[in-house]
């Protein structure tokens, strides 16, 4: 089997990350230049992330920057996202994670502003998150404090989304695409549960049913490679 050229493999990751960024404004998860998607570079202690302050419609694979797992710029003509240290910390301390997404989506961030977890009152939540969407600690941007909060909150939690208090949403996944999906669904359930609470008290799902729903969705739902 022919070896994959490292430069070609890196470009494919840059292309994927660039393409996935389009999903954030498409799903109303970001405004202006806020938010970001990153992906781990397979087999290398590197990540790909969007540059800081560049509008989504201007992004392209060639603009994506490459950083090491300490958040240092390795390749690219622009400064990396201000959230790079958080992403890098997650990859460095959680080897199973290959994609990280950050948004300030309206409804989920409103829950973050209250410091309140989103309760598991929807089957979609049980399917995707295996329970509530938890709240992580308040932390300032600029170093790895946010990354530490993400890992500490989610490491022993089935949820792949966390509401960082007073800040916004971070999601993680086995791929960047999976992390984007989690971000989209996090905003959807945040909005739906908010609306439900305007009508009355939502009905909790029993833990045994949450477990069954999560197991089915994660291991049975969808197509399987034969």
């Amino acid at each position: 089997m022919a070896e994959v050229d490292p430069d070609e493999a890196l470009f494919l990751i840059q292309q994927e990350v660039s393409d996935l960024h389009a999903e954030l404004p498409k799903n109303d998860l970001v405004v202006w230049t806020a938010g970001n998607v990153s992906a781990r570079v397979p087999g290398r202690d590197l990540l790909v992330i969007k540059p800081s302050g560049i509008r989504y419609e201007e992004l392209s694979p060639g603009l994506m920057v490459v950083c090491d797992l300490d958040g240092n710029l390795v390749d690219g003509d622009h400064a990396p996202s201000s959230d790079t240290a958080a992403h890098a910390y997650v990859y460095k301390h959680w080897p199973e994670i290959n994609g990280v997404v950050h948004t300030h989506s309206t409804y989920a961030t409103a829950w973050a502003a209250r410091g309140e977890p989103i309760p598991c009152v929807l089957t979609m939540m049980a399917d995707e998150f295996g329970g509530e969407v938890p709240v992580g600690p308040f932390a300032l941007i600029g170093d790895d404090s946010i990354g530490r909060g993400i890992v500490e909150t989610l490491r022993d939690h089935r949820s792949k989304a966390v509401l960082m208090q007073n800040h916004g949403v971070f999601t993680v996944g086995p791929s960047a695409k999976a992390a984007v999906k989690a971000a989209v669904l996090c905003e959807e359930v945040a909005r739906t549960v908010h609306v439900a609470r305007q009508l009355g008290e939502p009905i909790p799902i029993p833990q045994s049913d949450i477990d069954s729903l999560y197991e089915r969705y994660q291991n049975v739902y969808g197509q399987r490679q034969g």
Side-chain angles (χ1 to χ4, degrees), residues 20-224:
L20 285 172
H21 273 95
E23 295 295 327
L24 303 190
K26 177 182 174 181
N27 288 279
D28 296 323
L29 303 185
V30 296
V31 296
W32 202 244
T33 63
N36 37 71
V37 178
S38 73
R40 186 195 295 273
V41 179
R44 303 170 69 180
D45 290 335
L46 300 172
L47 66 93
V48 171
I49 195 168
K50 86 186 250 298
S52 179
I54 305 294
R55 296 189 65 183
Y56 282 81
E57 58 267 32
E58 299 172 13
L59 294 178
S60 67
L63 282 178
M64 297 299 107
V65 297
V66 182
C67 295
D68 64 23
L69 299 193
D70 290 315
N72 301 309
L73 181 66
V74 172
D75 185 44
D77 297 325
H78 297 80
S81 165
S82 59
D83 294 302
T84 299
H87 291 243
Y89 185 92
V90 174
Y91 293 125
K92 189 172 185 177
H93 293 86
W94 201 347
E96 297 82 8
I97 296 303
N98 295 305
V100 179
V101 174
H102 175 44
T103 79
H104 297 278
S105 58
T106 302
Y107 285 90
T109 301
W111 287 84
R114 289 174 50 84
E116 182 178 357
I118 306 173
C120 189
V121 295
L122 300 168
T123 58
M124 179 186 285
M125 291 191 67
D127 288 345
E128 177 70 15
F129 303 114
E132 70 175 19
V133 176
V135 173
F138 176 77
L140 295 176
I141 302 170
D143 59 20
D144 62 13
S145 299
I146 292 173
R148 290 176 183 273
I150 295 168
V151 173
E152 289 169 3
T153 305
L154 294 183
R155 174 80 81 170
D156 297 317
H157 204 292
R158 291 194 296 205
S159 176
K160 291 299 181 281
V162 58
L163 311 175
M164 294 302 287
Q165 184 181 312
N166 301 109
H167 186 173
V169 183
F170 281 84
T171 59
V172 300
S175 68
K177 183 178 180 180
V180 170
K181 176 191 175 186
V184 172
L185 295 185
C186 183
E187 177 64 4
E188 174 64 16
V189 300
R191 182 177 66 87
T192 303
V193 178
H194 169 75
V195 171
R197 294 210 319 186
Q198 310 315 299
L199 302 173
E201 189 62 31
I203 302 169
I205 300 175
Q207 185 62 51
S208 60
D209 291 330
I210 292 173
D211 294 342
S212 295
L213 288 161
Y214 183 76
E215 172 66 22
R216 179 200 65 88
Y217 188 77
Q218 299 297 321
N219 299 305
V220 178
Y221 176 81
Q223 303 301 310
R224 291 291 175 266

